[in-house]
Amino acid sequence: PSRYTDALLGRLIEALMALPGLVTALAFTAVLGPSFRNLLLALIVTNWPWYARSYRSLVLKERVAPYVESALTLGAGQARVLLRHVLPNVGGPALVLATANLGSVMLHLAALSFLGLGTQPPTPEWGMMINDARPFLQRCPWQMVAPGLCIALTVLCVNLAGDALRDLLDPRVARQRREAR
């Protein structure tokens, strides 16, 4: 049953990844109605296959590592091996993958809010602010530029934080730093 479930989930993930995420989220929020809760739900539904596939590959890679096989040979249970050996070694790369995709999720959030499918007034949101400022582009362009720059800078900061986190958690980079000293 485990292999059957894995194969079934794998095909479901591949089918969902074949759909364009932004278009799927657009359709999802259009059906459910414009609200921040529905927008977040749409983004979760459209992004979970990417996370599931990435994290599954990380776990499968660690599962065949020599230290895992050694622990199982010495009599450690599967739950203990998972909690003590696999999850700590998958945690760093999983966190880096999450920060790598966070910028894309933020851009999708702003795009859907720009289209009126996200938060509703009076709640402020950068995508909605850009849309509200469109009629004033000729006279007051900063009203569109300011939220656009905020989105761009926030996504840049998240990506830079993800890169720094990757460097911090990658043992090869730490070894290179020690050798350089």
Side-chain angles (χ1 to χ4, degrees), residues 72-90:
L72 289 171
T73 303
L74 291 172
Q78 288 185 349
R80 180 178 172 87
V81 170
L82 180 67
L83 292 174
R84 298 278 317 246
H85 299 289
V86 175
L87 288 181
N89 288 308
V90 169

Side-chain angles (χ1 to χ4, degrees), residues 2-3 5 13 15-16 20 46 83 90 108 129 136 148 158 161-162 164 173:
S2 175
R3 288 184 187 201
T5 305
I13 288 170
L16 290 173
T46 57
L83 292 174
V90 169
H108 286 160
M129 288 179 186
F136 308 107
V158 167
V173 173

Side-chain angles (χ1 to χ4, degrees), residues 92-93 95-97 99-100 155-171 173-174 177:
L95 190 60
V96 170
L97 284 170
T99 59
V155 170
L156 177 67
C157 289
V158 167
N159 286 338
L160 290 175
D163 287 345
L165 192 60
R166 183 196 63 224
D167 292 345
L168 183 68
L169 296 175
D170 190 356
V173 173
R177 280 193 210 130

Side-chain angles (χ1 to χ4, degrees), residues 8-26:
L8 186 64
L9 279 174
R11 298 305 81 75
L12 175 66
I13 288 170
E14 288 172 0
L16 290 173
M17 288 181 75
L19 300 171
L22 187 59
V23 174
T24 306
L26 178 69

